[in-house]
Amino acid sequence: MSEFDETTKTLNFDGPNSYIGRSVTRPNARRLAQGRGQFVDDIVLPRMVHVAYVRSPHAHARIVDIKTKKAGAMPGVVRIVTGAEIALVVKPYVGVLTHLQGMRSPPQYPLAVDVARWQGEPLVAVVAASRAEAEDAVEAVEVDYEELPAALDAERALDPSEPKIHKEFDSNLCFTRTVDTGGVDAAMKAAHLVVEDTIVFGRHTGVTMEPRAILADYNRADESMTVYHCGQSPHMMQGIIASRLSLDEHRVRIVARDVGGSFGIKIHTYGDEIAACALSLMLARPVKFAADRYESFLSDIHARDHRVRARLAVDRDGNMLALEIDDLTGVGPYSMFPRSSGVECNQILNLTGGPYKHKEYRAKGTVVFQNKNMMCQYRAVGHPIAIAVAEHMVDQAAAKLGIDPAEMRKKNLIPDDAYPCKSPSGMRFEALSHQQCMDKLLALMDYEGLRREQAELRKKGIHRGIGLSSFIEVTNPSPMFYGVGGARIAAQDGCTIKLDANGSIVAATGVTEQGQGTETIMAQIAATALGVEMSCVKVLTGDTDKVPYGGGTWASRAAGIGGEAVLQASLALKKNILEVGAVILKTSASELDIVDGKVVKKGTEQGLTLAELARICYYRGNELPVDFQPELVVTRHYRVKDYAFVFSNGAQGCSLEVDTDTGFVKLLKMWCVDDCGRVINPKLVDEQARGGIVQGIGGALYEQCLYDDRGQLLNATMADYLVPMAAEMPDIVCAHVETPTKTSMLGAKGAGEAGTGGAPGAIMNAVNDALRPLGAKVTSQPITPETVLRALGKVN
Amino acid sequence: MKAPRFAYARPASVTEALALLDKHRDDARVLAGGQSLVPMLNFRVAAPKVLVDINRIAALAGIKVTKSHVRIGALTRHVELERSLDVAKHLPLVATAMPYVAHPAIRNRGTFGGSCALADPAAELPACALALGATFVVAGKKGERRIAAVDFFQGLYATALKPSELLVAAEFPLPKPGYASAFGELARRHGDYAMVGVAVHGSTRGGQFSDLRVAFFGVGDRPQLAAHFARALEGQPTIAKSVESALAKLDADLAPRADLYSSAATKLHLAKVLAGRVTRQLVA
Amino acid sequence: MSAPAETVEISLTVNGEKVKRAVSVRLNLADFLRIELELTGTHVGCEHGVCGACTVRVDGEIVRGCLMFAAQADGCTVDTVEGLTDSREIEELQSAFVLTNALQCGFCTPGILMAAQALLRDLPNPSREQIREYLSGNYCRCTGYQAIVDAIEAVAKARQARGHR
């Protein structure tokens, strides 16, 4: 039976032979479970050398003098290169998106030249035969610094009295933007109640288990460079390395094999990585840079350092009328190239309050430069803040009016039949399911039961908290995200798929895998469309020499965009195969189908296997008509056209207990209902939700990059920076709602970030729910025991 | 984060080890479990010229029960303490504390002697030694000397050990009848160094607290006995109310320092809460 | 006894094979396995003993490969994830991990498998809470831990059902 309907041009995803919606295990998991991963640091090349960097110990300092003679004489040292020398070989880059109007950032070089602008900024490269010897020599490089006053307080960043980081700018302002529907003041005036609060989010970072690593191999003979990189966007990197190092782009090859976690951390342009490539160019031999954990903390991008003032106006019945926010964020001394450090703030302006029906909205965002580590996109970019702010304000209003938080949401969430519609900030929603998700969540968590239990336990002095959040999530971005702003980051993606000589299918895709299951779901899609078993499908990713030009994986685009390209390519290949089959079986293609790897006359078992068909095409063309040429390799591309982003949505719930004597918060259980459109692999979607939620828990309760008043990062170790560990994490129950997007045949939206976006809001609401009867409230994250004790007035 | 260069020696006996320490003095460091020292080397905050690996010195290992003591050799791995039936029977305080010490892989290498010689103020074992009134046995060129736990821990990572000395064992008196112990710590994540911890040992004979030793860790630059608190409890009936009434005395005993996540006030507050919860465990 | 030296000769058994090498004394065991013996299944995540990615087995007990010098492993028996795979000792765990998707990027996985195998030896019938506590020495940033707990719990139950010890 045919899965694909020619007339309606739709695929029956629910057919018996469909892999769509099945929780198949990942073919590449076995290899990883056996320790046969190929991470960058596992790769060894002939004559390979290692680089370590002298990094600024100061937040802001003039580099007066660098003496490298002593270091250069040390055992194993091959070459020492300063920032000024690297600047001769590498063009600087500017991390600005032109569609973020007014955004500015000065040109940045890979290594600091003249001035170091954050503690940890690399300034001298030491290349040696081993990493240990390079580090020995790093210690022997003598740098004279003249310490400069540092700009470290975002609230004061724009005061004329604050140190100005860049001479060429009149202030430390990087970007500012206001969104205004025009009626906020009037709505606030007329409102029955206006609630106000200021919420602070702690700067934190990704902590991928595999630190950043790059192995650049420049071949002087053919002026080509192969770069083994643990990045998410190989083609983007190809363009950057080629343009910055003045190499021909087609002679630069980026290979991303196994990546030990990325979450957006490994999608940015790091000076220490570009410098490693430049060193390979200079030395004409492979240069490996593998960051250690200390330098990861100092130089992996940080994120989520925001102070948000919010006001929410509601009427007597609790209907939301107007929302206003003022977001201040202090990034690094430069806006990160090429995606800019303004996107996180921009998302907050665009997305805060997105699930709700209020009509009036005003949002002001201010992004300022700071002499701290660079800041940029990290999983769920801006969403955790946008969602936590709105969800907090909704709960505050509900509490003041005596309305149950679940009721408050059901009253105010955009109805499921209201689509398509637009948010007050201008976001266009195709079709979301807030009400359905909330209903499903409340049933799943037994909300009423939890409330009853909470009431009972309160009598015994046990303080349980229940928190909810509703969220929207940006997925499947169109060129309106980056391309429109001048960044050479592909929003389209492609798939080249072929029927190989032995009858197997090989699909090369421009999206990439970092463990989320990209290769698996592409195989599921291809196998479904083609009518073959998944085990015959091989998926190629992560090599610019082997795959169509694509965007890689970010903003939860792989399933929706990469998947659609795979689907279209597979269907086109199937059409070509059926044409061959028609010729061989002497019938018409419309009479044929592919079932279980066999081209058969519909409804029968008569036909030939794909292996037999391929054999004829590849080796025995004499058996085919002279005017017929089989084409068994097909490429298709896909981009999102109808919307700037295809939003997904969902709801999360949290149950926890607050020890009001110690301030400790114990997570009991969490729930997530996510509508990511058509679900390709439910288990993988659940696991993205779980992993994402735990990262959200990190930001809500544990993680913070702590700076002192001299701009020194105080907790740059795994012992002092608190990443969630197994014992404190709850079990997380996941469920799905499916509203397929009509922007593609596949109908899939993204799912990788929703967990992280929605969790902090639900957790903070739960803590405040527990504390409310005690007259206490927390408005900052991470919520540490001290945060709770201070809120309770038990500690000053 | 590769360790800096050093020279490595692996003595086979205490005598050989002492000779090396005497020769190299401040240039040498003792390598036992390495679970604290090697991170310091990897971070390059320590760069000894000579590392003296004592892991193969058989005389330093072993748990021995005598008529009056439990003698724990310096090289006893944490996991051995965790699994020891003798420790469970005679030193239940230590047995209770062991699961809080880091994680299994760390406990398989980390040693009792290493933990006490390093004297991290947030470590469990030094506080247990203090609460149980242990005596440390230290070997030097001139022979052995014995130092009471209360005199051994002198400050932040500072002990009574001289540069050319080696901690060889600790002797824990066998607990007398009627004595009980309790242990607790507060940590953000299981296995982390304690935000605040307390090890309590004392007599509850006749329904009264007596001879109480309440050792805090994580609240000062060293493990410390809360003398005022203990004295306020001694002679009182072993009921919850006694404990609650005595908690205010901790203001006189403890002067905590702030750390990355807790102000001094928070630390003091947590110390009181924990002291109450743990000491109440001694209540019938 | 010889004077302190910067290189030593070591003899050890790695995954059942006798190995003899001259090593720099500052070379840690994880780097020795990865660089000298090209057993790259053991990963380096922090080099201060916290993350657990470098967990290997020495003389039958799990240790942090980054906190032990290769020089100290002289005369020892070392097992890495490759050895435990080839001997099929952790085959059941590996299958369970694949089934429950207890790994995503795979970087922490060899260390977690080492810890899981030790856990099941020490606690043949662990509760989920006990599994979580034991695993607290191993960081995972991808899975959120639940699927890992599911996998280990499943193997423990299967072994119990078969009357395994």
Side-chain angles (χ1 to χ4, degrees):
Chain A
M1 72 239 68
S2 178
E3 309 282 20
F4 182 65
D5 187 320
E6 270 295 338
T7 343
T8 59
K9 297 279 189 253
T10 55
L11 196 61
N12 175 15
F13 293 110
D14 301 318
N17 290 343
S18 172
Y19 283 99
I20 306 299
R22 283 176 47 187
S23 296
V24 297
T25 60
R26 289 167 48 216
N28 60 358
R30 243 169 71 94
R31 170 174 70 77
L32 294 170
Q34 294 187 4
R36 300 302 299 271
Q38 262 226 315
F39 300 92
V40 172
D41 195 37
D42 299 339
I43 303 170
V44 171
L45 294 177
R47 301 192 68 238
M48 182 177 80
V49 285
H50 300 259
V51 60
Y53 293 98
V54 176
R55 293 181 182 271
S56 170
H58 304 295
H60 198 191
R62 180 158 297 115
I63 301 163
V64 174
D65 190 43
I66 302 174
K67 289 190 178 61
T68 63
K69 192 154 168 222
K70 201 170 89 182
M74 289 181 68
V77 173
V78 168
R79 183 96 170 252
I80 300 185
V81 180
T82 65
E85 292 169 79
I86 291 278
L88 298 174
V89 180
V90 182
K91 293 205 196 93
Y93 32 90
V94 180
V96 159
L97 291 172
T98 56
H99 68 298
L100 296 183
Q101 283 180 29
M103 170 176 268
R104 61 188 183 179
S105 185
Q108 185 182 11
Y109 286 94
L111 304 184
V113 183
D114 295 334
V115 181
R117 294 186 171 91
W118 83 85
Q119 182 221 5
E121 184 176 10
L123 45 131
V124 179
V126 175
V127 184
S130 69
R131 171 78 189 200
E133 287 165 312
E135 290 188 22
D136 294 342
V138 160
E139 284 190 320
V141 173
E142 297 163 70
V143 184
D144 279 330
Y145 296 99
E146 179 202 327
E147 267 188 85
L148 299 169
L152 300 167
D153 182 350
E155 297 282 357
R156 291 207 321 260
L158 299 179
D159 288 355
S161 59
E162 267 298 273
K164 217 154 47 103
I165 298 176
H166 299 296
K167 275 199 305 284
E168 58 266 59
F169 296 152
D170 59 352
S171 77
N172 290 321
L173 181 69
C174 169
F175 171 61
T176 182
R177 179 182 166 222
T178 303
V179 176
D180 193 347
T181 51
V184 167
D185 290 329
M188 295 268 172
K189 243 202 197 109
H192 167 72
L193 170 71
V194 175
V195 286
E196 222 175 290
D197 234 331
T198 299
I199 305 137
V200 176
F201 297 86
R203 183 184 256 252
H204 52 284
T205 184
V207 194
T208 58
M209 289 317 302
E210 175 206 27
R212 290 184 299 108
I214 194 165
L215 172 53
D217 183 11
Y218 180 66
N219 184 329
R220 191 173 280 159
D222 57 16
E223 293 175 346
S224 71
M225 182 178 283
T226 303
V227 182
Y228 299 90
H229 188 227
C230 56
Q232 296 170 223
S233 257
H235 283 104
M236 183 198 79
M237 271 304 272
Q238 180 189 40
I240 289 170
I241 290 171
S243 70
R244 299 304 93 196
L245 268 52
S246 306
L247 297 169
D248 289 331
E249 193 164 316
H250 62 285
R251 282 194 239 277
V252 174
R253 175 183 175 204
I254 310 295
V255 179
R257 293 200 182 133
D258 293 310
V259 176
S262 186
F263 322 115
I265 302 301
K266 294 170 177 171
I267 209 170
H268 304 290
T269 301
Y270 290 94
D272 45 30
E273 295 178 13
I274 302 297
C277 296
L279 291 164
S280 181
L281 181 64
M282 292 160 78
L283 297 171
R285 63 198 288 193
V287 174
K288 177 186 276 188
F289 168 60
D292 62 34
R293 186 53 63 186
Y294 180 65
E295 57 190 335
S296 293
F297 277 117
L298 287 183
S299 62
D300 284 0
I301 54 105
H302 294 176
R304 316 222 215 283
D305 191 342
H306 288 257
R307 180 274 291 139
V308 183
R309 290 197 198 104
R311 297 167 71 214
L312 173 66
V314 292
D315 70 14
R316 195 170 299 275
D317 299 316
N319 293 300
M320 289 164 63
L321 305 172
L323 177 65
E324 173 167 28
I325 63 165
D326 182 319
D327 173 36
L328 172 68
T329 176
V331 298
Y334 302 91
S335 171
M336 196 88 181
F337 179 77
R339 293 170 189 259
S340 96
S341 299
V343 171
E344 190 173 83
C345 175
N346 201 44
Q347 301 257 76
I348 291 167
L349 303 184
N350 282 341
L351 306 173
T352 306
Y356 297 104
K357 68 180 191 191
H358 57 285
K359 292 282 179 278
E360 300 298 338
Y361 179 65
R362 184 166 57 211
K364 177 171 176 222
T366 310
V367 180
V368 297
F369 294 119
Q370 297 279 274
N371 290 114
K372 295 178 182 172
N373 185 22
M374 305 281 289
M375 227 169 81
C376 211
Q377 279 82 311
Y378 162 45
R379 193 175 197 171
V381 187
H383 292 65
I385 293 151
I387 293 162
V389 167
E391 294 303 309
H392 174 78
M393 300 310 288
V394 166
D395 264 23
Q396 292 302 300
K400 283 242 159 67
L401 293 173
I403 300 175
D404 174 87
E407 277 315 301
M408 185 74 177
R409 281 165 178 81
K410 284 169 53 165
K411 192 190 282 274
N412 283 289
L413 288 169
I414 298 171
D416 291 349
D417 60 2
Y419 300 97
C421 65
K422 227 161 81 157
S423 78
S425 60
M427 299 292 104
R428 289 174 55 236
F429 301 132
E430 175 201 2
L432 303 179
S433 58
H434 288 297
Q435 298 281 357
Q436 192 185 349
C437 285
M438 180 54 66
D439 286 340
K440 193 160 189 171
L441 174 73
L442 296 172
L444 195 64
M445 56 193 286
D446 185 16
Y447 183 78
E448 298 300 326
L450 284 172
R451 284 289 178 208
R452 279 193 300 274
E453 187 183 31
Q454 177 186 46
E456 278 307 305
L457 290 171
R458 266 195 185 131
K459 293 179 196 156
K460 299 181 189 160
I462 296 171
H463 303 277
R464 292 275 171 97
I466 303 156
L468 301 171
S469 74
S470 278
F471 58 87
I472 52 173
E473 190 75 31
V474 166
T475 80
N476 297 7
S478 72
M480 299 307 291
F481 209 143
Y482 288 119
V484 71
R488 299 186 75 233
I489 298 165
Q492 59 81 46
D493 233 284
C495 171
T496 300
I497 192 164
K498 60 179 175 171
L499 174 66
D500 234 351
N502 69 339
S504 62
I505 303 291
V506 181
T509 164
V511 294
T512 54
E513 163 98 53
Q514 295 85 39
Q516 65 276 76
T518 312
E519 287 176 18
T520 303
I521 61 173
M522 299 307 150
Q524 287 178 256
I525 293 166
T528 300
L530 282 163
V532 303
E533 279 202 23
M534 233 179 101
S535 54
C536 339
V537 180
K538 175 167 154 175
V539 177
L540 300 176
T541 64
D543 187 334
T544 54
D545 266 8
K546 294 184 185 164
V547 307
Y549 197 99
T553 296
W554 45 274
S556 303
R557 70 188 291 277
I561 296 177
E564 180 69 7
V566 169
L567 176 61
Q568 295 304 325
S570 303
L571 291 172
L573 177 62
K574 181 178 178 180
K575 184 158 174 286
N576 287 10
I577 291 171
L578 293 183
E579 273 173 26
V580 177
V583 158
I584 295 172
L585 296 171
K586 300 196 192 336
T587 177
S588 65
S590 57
E591 298 294 311
L592 297 173
D593 196 3
I594 308 175
V595 179
D596 283 337
K598 202 167 169 190
V599 177
V600 292
K601 290 196 176 140
K602 281 181 187 169
T604 78
E605 301 234 330
Q606 291 173 29
L608 74 168
T609 65
L610 286 177
E612 287 164 349
L613 186 148
R615 200 168 115 257
I616 293 169
C617 292
Y618 283 98
Y619 304 119
R620 303 181 59 157
N622 53 297
E623 295 177 20
L624 296 169
V626 292
D627 58 349
F628 178 77
Q629 177 55 52
E631 291 296 355
L632 298 176
V633 184
V634 170
T635 298
R636 288 291 182 273
H637 292 84
Y638 174 73
R639 72 187 191 281
V640 176
K641 299 172 275 285
D642 316 286
Y643 288 86
F645 326 106
V646 179
F647 282 92
S648 73
N649 71 277
Q652 286 193 32
C654 173
S655 164
L656 50 78
E657 192 170 297
V658 179
D659 182 331
T660 51
D661 287 325
T662 61
F664 274 60
V665 171
K666 185 178 157 96
L667 296 169
L668 300 172
K669 206 158 182 184
M670 291 185 69
W671 298 261
C672 180
V673 176
D674 188 34
D675 184 348
C676 61
R678 186 171 326 278
V679 174
I680 300 158
N681 187 319
K683 177 62 163 156
L684 294 185
V685 171
D686 288 353
E687 291 304 309
Q688 282 304 289
R690 292 191 174 106
I693 285 170
V694 170
Q695 282 188 330
I697 292 172
L701 297 178
Y702 293 98
E703 300 181 45
Q704 188 169 11
C705 299
L706 295 168
Y707 276 93
D708 72 6
D709 57 12
R710 291 180 52 234
Q712 302 286 305
L713 184 59
L714 296 172
N715 58 341
T717 79
M718 294 290 233
D720 297 319
Y721 179 96
L722 306 177
V723 168
M725 292 159 103
E728 289 73 36
M729 292 304 104
D731 278 346
I732 300 164
V733 180
C734 300
H736 308 275
V737 167
E738 285 186 61
T739 310
T741 171
K742 296 197 171 78
T743 58
S744 70
M745 183 186 291
L746 183 60
K749 303 179 189 179
E753 297 173 272
T756 307
I763 292 167
M764 196 158 87
N765 277 352
V767 172
N768 282 330
D769 183 65
L771 296 180
R772 194 161 289 119
L774 305 168
K777 179 175 68 170
V778 299
T779 52
S780 69
Q781 294 185 14
I783 303 165
T784 65
E786 184 165 88
T787 311
V788 174
L789 290 174
R790 285 210 171 125
L792 287 165
K794 296 202 170 177
V795 150
N796 282 333
Chain B
M1 279 170 56
K2 305 299 176 192
R5 301 179 93 103
F6 56 82
Y8 170 86
R10 199 167 72 204
S13 69
V14 173
T15 314
E16 279 178 32
L18 289 174
L20 281 161
L21 293 175
D22 188 53
K23 179 169 183 196
H24 298 283
R25 299 256 151 179
D26 288 328
D27 282 345
R29 287 204 65 158
V30 172
L31 175 64
Q35 305 302 284
S36 296
L37 180 62
V38 180
M40 287 191 224
L41 292 176
N42 291 348
F43 272 109
R44 298 194 176 215
V45 296
K49 294 208 173 73
V50 178
L51 227 54
V52 179
D53 179 357
I54 60 169
N55 284 281
R56 306 287 171 111
I57 302 177
L60 293 175
I63 301 164
K64 193 161 149 213
V65 182
T66 69
K67 272 203 279 274
S68 52
H69 288 107
V70 178
R71 181 184 164 104
I72 298 178
L75 218 42
T76 306
R77 309 273 174 202
H78 296 317
V79 68
E80 292 172 69
L81 290 175
E82 200 183 346
R83 292 176 182 161
S84 161
L85 295 172
D86 286 330
V87 170
K89 180 171 176 196
H90 300 294
L91 303 177
L93 179 63
V94 174
T96 310
M98 291 325 292
Y100 289 89
V101 177
H103 303 288
I106 306 285
R107 294 201 290 272
N108 285 336
R109 290 291 298 171
T111 64
F112 171 79
S115 177
C116 292
L118 176 68
D120 189 306
E124 292 83 1
L125 283 168
C128 289
L130 200 56
L132 294 173
T135 303
F136 289 100
V137 182
V138 171
K141 223 168 58 171
K142 300 193 187 122
E144 275 187 359
R145 59 191 185 109
R146 281 171 158 65
I147 309 167
V150 74
D151 300 319
F152 185 79
F153 300 105
Q154 297 185 343
L156 190 64
Y157 301 111
T159 68
L161 281 170
K162 298 204 187 77
S164 51
E165 287 184 317
L166 189 65
L167 176 63
V168 294
E171 290 169 346
F172 288 76
L174 289 173
K176 296 172 237 166
Y179 277 71
S181 48
F183 179 91
E185 75 172 60
L186 289 172
R188 300 294 310 281
R189 304 172 305 173
H190 179 78
D192 278 354
Y193 276 116
M195 285 171 83
V196 154
V198 70
V200 181
H201 183 73
S203 168
T204 52
R205 225 149 98 182
Q208 267 189 7
F209 288 114
S210 66
D211 193 18
L212 265 184
R213 293 171 75 89
V214 179
F216 279 91
F217 54 103
V219 275
D221 63 358
R222 72 194 85 172
Q224 48 191 126
L225 289 171
H228 292 90
F229 175 64
R231 232 162 277 141
L233 276 174
E234 281 167 358
Q236 299 301 315
T238 51
I239 56 172
K241 193 152 170 260
S242 309
V243 176
E244 264 134 53
S245 311
L247 288 174
K249 297 287 186 198
L250 287 171
D251 287 330
D253 285 322
L254 303 174
R257 304 158 169 220
D259 64 20
L260 278 177
Y261 294 103
S262 307
S263 67
T266 297
K267 287 269 211 182
L268 185 59
H269 170 87
L270 291 175
K272 286 181 185 164
V273 171
L274 192 65
R277 290 183 183 179
V278 172
T279 313
R280 264 204 301 281
Q281 289 174 41
L282 295 179
V283 165
Chain C
M1 181 198 66
S2 43
E6 290 210 8
T7 48
V8 289
E9 283 247 344
I10 57 172
S11 290
L12 60 159
T13 305
V14 180
N15 297 332
E17 269 180 45
K18 289 210 190 308
V19 167
K20 223 178 179 151
R21 288 283 195 285
V23 295
S24 162
V25 294
R26 65 167 165 169
L27 183 69
N28 69 48
L29 180 60
D31 284 342
F32 172 75
L33 293 166
R34 288 176 53 75
I35 299 169
E36 284 298 315
L37 303 185
E38 297 172 305
L39 292 163
T40 57
T42 301
H43 300 138
V44 173
C46 76
E47 295 177 296
H48 45 289
V50 184
C51 78
C54 68
T55 305
V56 291
R57 209 160 66 186
V58 174
D59 291 343
E61 302 284 1
I62 54 168
V63 302
R64 303 291 200 225
C66 71
L67 296 189
M68 204 171 152
F69 296 109
Q72 295 183 279
D74 182 33
C76 294
T77 302
V78 178
D79 300 304
T80 71
V81 66
E82 291 93 341
L84 266 52
T85 301
D86 290 343
S87 70
R88 303 179 66 184
E89 187 185 327
I90 52 172
E91 192 173 31
E92 204 177 5
L93 272 170
Q94 286 164 322
S95 295
F97 269 51
V98 170
L99 229 80
T100 69
N101 207 62
L103 64 125
Q104 291 185 24
C105 79
F107 197 79
C108 74
T109 308
I112 293 217
L113 286 167
M114 286 280 163
Q117 181 66 349
L119 158 64
L120 290 175
R121 182 203 61 191
D122 291 347
L123 293 170
N125 199 12
S127 66
R128 287 180 76 85
E129 204 185 301
Q130 284 175 313
I131 294 172
R132 283 181 178 278
E133 266 188 25
Y134 200 101
L135 281 186
S136 273
N138 290 78
Y139 281 43
C140 176
R141 200 51 161 161
C142 294
T143 67
Y145 304 105
Q146 188 168 335
I148 297 173
V149 178
D150 291 343
I152 295 170
E153 189 184 35
V155 172
K157 286 201 171 121
R159 287 186 184 178
Q160 289 292 301
R162 288 200 311 269
H164 195 281
R165 204 158 40 96

